[in-house]
Amino acid sequence: MDNKNASLPDNEVLFDLADLFKVFGDSTRLRIMYTLSEGEANVQTIAETLGMEQSTISHQLRILRDNKLARARRDGKQIYYSLDDDHVKKIIEMGLDHVLE
């Protein structure tokens, strides 16, 4: 019998992956990430686009930044947010493709 677990990632890596998917498990964060997939935006623009409070958006953006899914860029007093990299956009697109199948 061959060992099918030979290529199984380390438990710590799998825990990190599970935590990443937990972040994607919130519809508000998904809406924010989908909005950011269209291009960078500030908190006010995101809040207006989604019809939500700025404080809610700010809280969720902090979670996205902590999990390296979004990044911030300061321009004077304004802070603009974007997806951290193309991988995040690809994950969203792949998930959307899957549920629309």
Side-chain angles (χ1 to χ4, degrees):
M1 183 168 115
D2 61 68
N3 187 355
K4 293 183 180 188
N5 290 333
S7 63
L8 185 67
D10 184 57
N11 278 343
E12 187 174 327
V13 172
L14 291 175
F15 286 130
D16 290 345
L17 181 60
D19 286 342
L20 175 69
F21 282 118
K22 286 178 190 174
V23 176
F24 279 92
D26 181 271
S27 63
T28 299
R29 288 191 289 268
L30 279 173
R31 292 176 69 204
I32 292 169
M33 288 187 286
Y34 193 82
T35 300
L36 293 178
S37 74
E38 303 291 316
E40 72 175 10
N42 62 23
V43 172
Q44 180 179 350
T45 301
I46 298 168
E48 289 172 359
T49 300
L50 300 179
M52 301 177 74
E53 296 292 324
Q54 288 187 30
S55 60
T56 301
I57 299 300
S58 293
H59 174 73
Q60 297 301 334
L61 282 167
R62 184 170 43 258
I63 293 169
L64 293 173
R65 287 178 66 199
D66 289 348
N67 286 277
K68 297 180 179 86
L69 296 172
R71 72 173 93 178
R73 175 183 68 83
R74 182 176 290 278
D75 185 12
K77 291 185 179 183
Q78 197 61 253
I79 299 176
Y80 293 93
Y81 294 89
S82 61
L83 294 179
D84 194 64
D85 59 31
D86 270 352
H87 292 113
V88 180
K89 188 172 184 176
K90 287 177 187 174
I91 293 168
I92 295 166
E93 290 170 350
M94 289 172 59
L96 192 57
D97 287 346
H98 182 74
V99 297
L100 293 176
E101 255 182 19

